[in-house]
Amino acid sequence: MEEEQMTGIPKSSALPPFASTLDEIRTAVERNAIRRGVFLINSLQALGVNNLVSRVAELSSTYDKEEWRDQADKWGIDPEEVLSILDSSKVAYPVFFCSPSAIVETPQLLSYYRNLAMLSNKAMRDIKLSTERYEVSLQAISADQALVVSRYLNSTISNIILARGTVTSQLASEMLYTNIGDSLGGVWRNEIGRLAYEEVLSLLIMHLYQINRLEYIKYTVKGQLVDIEAEALAKQRPRSQELKVSEIDSSDSLQNFLNHLHTNRVKYQEIGLHNGTRLCVDRQIMWTLPMVSEQNLAPIWLLKILDPRIRGRPS
DNA sequence: ATGGTTAATCATGGGACTCG
DNA sequence: CGAGTCCCATGATTAACCAT
């Protein structure tokens, strides 16, 4: 207690006057839930999981049980143990396992079975078995590769089922959506950072424009919808674009432009000022700057450009 | 000692830039 | 164009701390 007085830092009870109120926090949490929720739902629907599920249903009604029993071992499925479990629960084999031929025919199904195997794209990439490009149907998969990947996925799914001992008719979709949810969580975690930048930088950009310092902004956009296929198709990395202030005639039109960018998932890269100052805000980019020294580190630049005593070039 | 709170740590996720 | 990395972020778990 005495120690607390010495530091002058209140430990638990008294919050500083600028602390958010409980109501403010509840409002913020609610907004986050809404934004995150809508984002997750939209992203999930954009994935078109339903198509995969109905394709699996088709396969389930036409598959040849004998063939599967014969090939099971080759396809990475433990025949006696696992298939017996499926039999006793009256679950069709393709609900849980893939055949290489089905994968060759419909490569997008890799997404379904990868998720059943509870594997992320990242994990697949790390073990050199990435299926991403096939999942978005950009590329046909060879029979050889289909077999290799099928074996791995089936084996993983096999062992999950063995570890549990039982399956139910719902289990497949529970596994599917659980794993997809985890992946979408990753997408959202990226959005958070981007949205924060968007929020802060748009205010800064407007301010710089209004005090007549802004020369240009450089940015990339990902586009309006979370369209997996279109995004992968545009494999061409989003081209960096530039808006010059000379193209802008008023504060309102700049604001409109920024709003337009925001609906297209913008990522700001650089903000340029009349006096030559560059705010390199994208920390991913390896910036090559002239005269790297203590003098032109970003925080110092910020102070300089916000200091009204330092004038921008009149335009 | 006990129960309730915070603050680190750890394992992961996807996105995006670089380089060969 | 793929591999290697870095970046922004999350939830669960563990460790540290605090009041009773």
Side-chain angles (χ1 to χ4, degrees):
Chain A
M1 288 190 286
E2 290 171 38
E3 212 171 322
E4 180 179 321
Q5 284 182 339
M6 285 177 67
T7 60
I9 300 169
K11 285 291 180 177
S12 52
S13 54
L15 290 167
F18 52 80
S20 301
T21 66
L22 181 56
D23 262 6
E24 286 170 340
I25 293 172
R26 284 184 178 171
T27 300
V29 169
E30 178 177 351
R31 282 183 186 160
N32 178 64
I34 293 167
R35 198 158 194 178
R36 173 171 170 273
V38 170
F39 178 86
L40 291 179
I41 294 164
N42 288 347
S43 303
L44 176 64
Q45 295 192 338
L47 285 176
V49 180
N50 293 340
N51 297 332
L52 297 179
V53 172
S54 47
R55 178 74 186 120
V56 168
E58 281 177 26
L59 293 173
S60 298
S61 61
T62 59
Y63 77 112
D64 178 351
K65 213 162 177 173
E66 292 312 312
E67 184 198 3
W68 276 70
R69 283 280 180 177
D70 289 344
Q71 302 295 319
D73 195 48
K74 188 181 165 199
W75 294 350
I77 310 165
D78 182 326
E80 292 317 313
E81 296 266 1
V82 178
L83 290 186
S84 303
I85 293 176
L86 293 197
D87 283 340
S88 61
S89 302
K90 304 208 184 325
V91 176
Y93 298 164
V95 171
F96 279 97
F97 299 109
C98 53
S99 66
S101 58
I103 295 304
V104 170
E105 204 172 316
T106 316
Q108 296 97 308
L109 283 176
L110 282 170
S111 166
Y112 176 92
Y113 295 106
R114 175 178 58 74
N115 280 302
L116 278 198
M118 310 307 272
L119 291 161
S120 68
N121 274 324
K122 191 175 190 167
M124 295 295 278
R125 230 177 298 136
D126 285 347
I127 59 174
K128 315 301 176 195
L129 285 180
S130 178
T131 53
E132 237 170 325
R133 57 196 160 154
Y134 308 122
E135 292 181 17
V136 296
S137 71
L138 284 180
Q139 206 170 306
I141 186 170
S142 71
D144 283 353
Q145 186 64 7
L147 177 61
V148 170
V149 176
S150 294
R151 282 176 58 90
Y152 189 78
L153 295 181
N154 285 340
S155 162
T156 306
I157 298 167
S158 260
N159 284 309
I160 289 174
I161 291 174
L162 283 177
R164 294 189 81 256
T166 62
V167 298
T168 64
S169 50
Q170 301 172 65
L171 181 63
S173 69
E174 288 168 348
M175 293 162 73
L176 177 66
Y177 284 105
T178 299
N179 203 58
I180 288 176
D182 201 18
S183 301
L184 293 180
V187 183
W188 174 246
R189 290 197 283 279
N190 281 327
E191 274 297 284
I192 289 169
R194 196 190 62 73
L195 289 169
Y197 260 61
E198 185 178 289
E199 198 91 10
V200 172
L201 291 184
S202 59
L203 288 174
L204 178 61
I205 290 168
M206 288 309 296
H207 178 68
L208 291 173
Y209 178 80
Q210 277 152 11
I211 63 176
N212 196 27
R213 301 268 167 81
L214 187 64
E215 173 94 23
Y216 63 86
I217 58 178
K218 282 186 183 169
Y219 58 90
T220 59
V221 288
K222 284 216 306 177
Q224 204 138 18
L225 289 184
V226 184
D227 186 337
I228 310 298
E229 203 154 331
E231 264 177 34
L233 198 59
K235 188 77 178 182
Q236 10 139 348
R237 300 195 168 73
R239 205 167 56 78
S240 180
Q241 302 181 64
E242 181 170 342
L243 172 76
K244 295 194 178 70
V245 167
S246 53
E247 300 163 8
I248 297 291
D249 56 7
S250 71
S251 186
D252 278 351
S253 67
L254 177 58
Q255 184 64 63
N256 285 338
F257 184 79
L258 294 186
N259 290 342
H260 167 70
L261 287 186
H262 294 179
T263 63
N264 284 285
R265 289 186 295 167
V266 65
K267 198 173 177 219
Y268 293 113
Q269 293 185 321
E270 180 179 338
I271 299 171
L273 308 185
H274 289 318
N275 66 8
T277 302
R278 296 163 61 204
L279 283 169
C280 304
V281 294
D282 188 333
R283 295 184 62 181
Q284 289 290 103
I285 295 176
M286 179 81 75
W287 296 101
T288 53
L289 304 173
M291 301 186 303
V292 178
S293 74
E294 292 289 325
Q295 299 301 314
N296 52 17
L297 292 177
I300 295 173
W301 290 5
L302 252 178
L303 289 178
K304 280 166 72 172
I305 59 174
L306 293 177
D307 185 340
R309 289 167 303 184
I310 301 174
R311 292 181 46 87
R313 191 179 66 199
S315 59

